Amino acid sequence: MTSQRRRALAALVGAGLLASLGVPAHAADWPQQKPISYVVPFTPGGSTDVVGRVIAQKLSERLHQSVVVENKPGAAGAIGAAYVAKAPPDGYTLFGGTISTHAINPSLYKNLSYDPVKDFEPVSLVATLPNVLLVDPNLKLKSVADLIALLKKDPAKRTFASSGAGTSTHLTGELFAQTIGVPLTHIPYKGTPPAMVDVSSGNVTFMFDQMTAALPLLQQGKLQLLAVTTAKRIPLAPDVPTLQEAGVPGFDVSSWQAVYAPKGTPKPIVDRLSKEIAAILKEPDVQEKLGKTMGMELVGGSPEQLRDLMATEIPRWAEVVKKSGAKAE
């Protein structure tokens, strides 16, 4: 028997053994075939991009293979999500999913070019993070109750900004409007910085966004922080009340970051990635950067737990979108 035939026979035997173990043959040498692409569906510098770069770097070290971040922004993450949904399910394309791409967009976009459930394999939840309620300091509001009174009294003030239609900051504002029973006008911006500038200058009354994004303007006194959206206070602002404490009953909203793969990615690969991410989130430097510095709650978890989260979040935000009449095309 020639050496070539022996190698071919060995390959067939190996493939058969892997099949008997429930492991696809093409997954056996993952991830050694080529670099892994980690698609971030937003512009560089935002929370999803920071999370993606931290996870990519750590996965590169643990898998002994390059994990390269690719930014594919647009349409509240829908452009990047659609790209990954069509990628080969071979473990070489990962996706930095968010509450927008995998919970809000399905009900907000009439003709969404991907299905967050049918087109993806959940890998792991990474982190949750609160939004905060920000207003112009020149309004001289002392509490959330003062803001609500202003909104009820002056229709011209019933405006709120967001970093874009379909983002968690947008839908948090819509939920706030529903909860307090005051119709509000949403003004979307192309990103957080211009939205915050217009709030700080009084062109828009308020907005919800992440604490870390607001810190520079808060420190300069150009924005005022009234409340946080989660049920518990946050370490970055321990003296700031939750919306529930401030008199908005039942309000509890957390944005979240997660990792996905294209549907059909072999389970052994998905499980390996999930375990590696869980270990990464326990590393001290990761906890320092994402936890203490950015105010994220590092979670981790199994693919099944992420799937369960989506099963709860998708209908929740569909109801908010339906009641608000919010649309994005």
Side-chain angles (χ1 to χ4, degrees):
M1 182 183 296
T2 66
S3 60
Q4 183 176 2
R5 291 184 63 187
R6 280 196 297 270
R7 286 195 296 269
L9 181 59
L12 288 171
V13 170
L17 177 59
L18 288 169
S20 70
L21 295 173
V23 181
H26 65 274
D29 57 357
W30 179 89
Q32 303 310 317
Q33 292 180 338
K34 59 183 179 179
I36 297 168
S37 172
Y38 188 114
V39 175
V40 171
F42 299 100
T43 54
S47 297
T48 307
D49 182 67
V50 173
V51 168
R53 292 181 188 280
V54 169
I55 297 296
Q57 177 189 343
K58 293 294 185 176
L59 280 176
S60 296
E61 296 169 2
R62 301 180 73 91
L63 298 176
H64 306 290
Q65 176 61 276
S66 296
V67 181
V68 182
V69 171
E70 292 186 61
N71 294 90
K72 294 186 179 294
I79 290 176
Y83 172 84
V84 174
K86 298 178 177 64
D90 55 8
Y92 289 96
T93 304
L94 303 177
F95 183 66
T98 69
I99 187 175
S100 296
T101 61
H102 279 72
I104 295 173
N105 283 356
S107 54
L108 195 68
Y109 286 83
K110 184 178 180 180
N111 297 307
L112 195 63
S113 54
Y114 68 94
D115 187 305
V117 176
K118 296 179 180 179
D119 292 340
F120 292 86
E121 297 287 351
V123 175
S124 176
L125 184 64
V126 174
T128 61
L129 58 162
N131 289 321
V132 294
L133 175 55
L134 303 162
V135 298
D136 174 11
N138 293 317
L139 292 174
K140 301 189 183 304
L141 303 175
K142 295 182 179 180
S143 66
V144 175
D146 286 351
L147 173 63
I148 295 173
L150 175 67
L151 296 175
K152 289 182 176 180
K153 180 181 179 180
D154 188 353
K157 294 293 185 182
R158 296 175 186 171
T159 59
F160 74 96
S162 82
S163 56
T167 60
S168 67
T169 61
H170 168 201
L171 271 294
T172 300
E174 298 288 1
L175 183 60
F176 180 68
Q178 293 172 21
T179 306
I180 66 175
V182 179
L184 302 174
T185 299
H186 171 231
I187 302 177
Y189 288 78
K190 293 182 178 179
T192 293
M196 287 189 177
V197 167
D198 264 14
V199 172
S200 68
S201 62
N203 293 328
V204 187
T205 306
F206 73 96
M207 70 179 295
F208 290 95
D209 213 293
Q210 290 151 21
M211 180 68 176
T212 48
L215 273 176
L217 290 179
L218 287 170
Q219 292 167 346
Q220 296 168 29
K222 294 181 179 179
L223 283 176
Q224 180 183 353
L225 177 57
L226 286 185
V228 299
T229 63
T230 44
K232 296 180 180 180
R233 297 191 182 196
I234 60 174
L236 284 179
D239 296 329
V240 177
T242 67
L243 276 168
Q244 292 188 36
E245 292 173 331
V248 185
F251 205 97
D252 183 8
V253 174
S254 293
S255 182
W256 44 267
Q257 303 278 340
V259 177
Y260 294 85
K263 192 72 172 182
T265 300
K267 190 174 185 302
I269 293 178
V270 171
D271 289 344
R272 169 82 184 280
L273 285 166
S274 181
K275 291 177 181 178
E276 296 291 359
I277 291 170
I280 287 168
L281 296 178
K282 293 178 182 178
E283 295 188 23
D285 59 331
V286 174
Q287 293 184 346
E288 177 70 27
K289 184 175 182 64
L290 299 183
K292 293 181 180 179
T293 303
M294 298 195 67
M296 297 184 181
E297 180 179 355
L298 305 186
V299 183
S302 68
E304 291 72 26
Q305 288 171 319
L306 178 53
R307 189 176 289 111
D308 290 344
L309 174 66
M310 291 171 59
T312 300
E313 288 279 86
I314 290 173
R316 179 193 187 188
W317 291 108
E319 185 68 18
V320 173
V321 170
K322 181 179 178 181
K323 288 182 178 180
S324 69
K327 295 180 182 179
E329 297 297 339

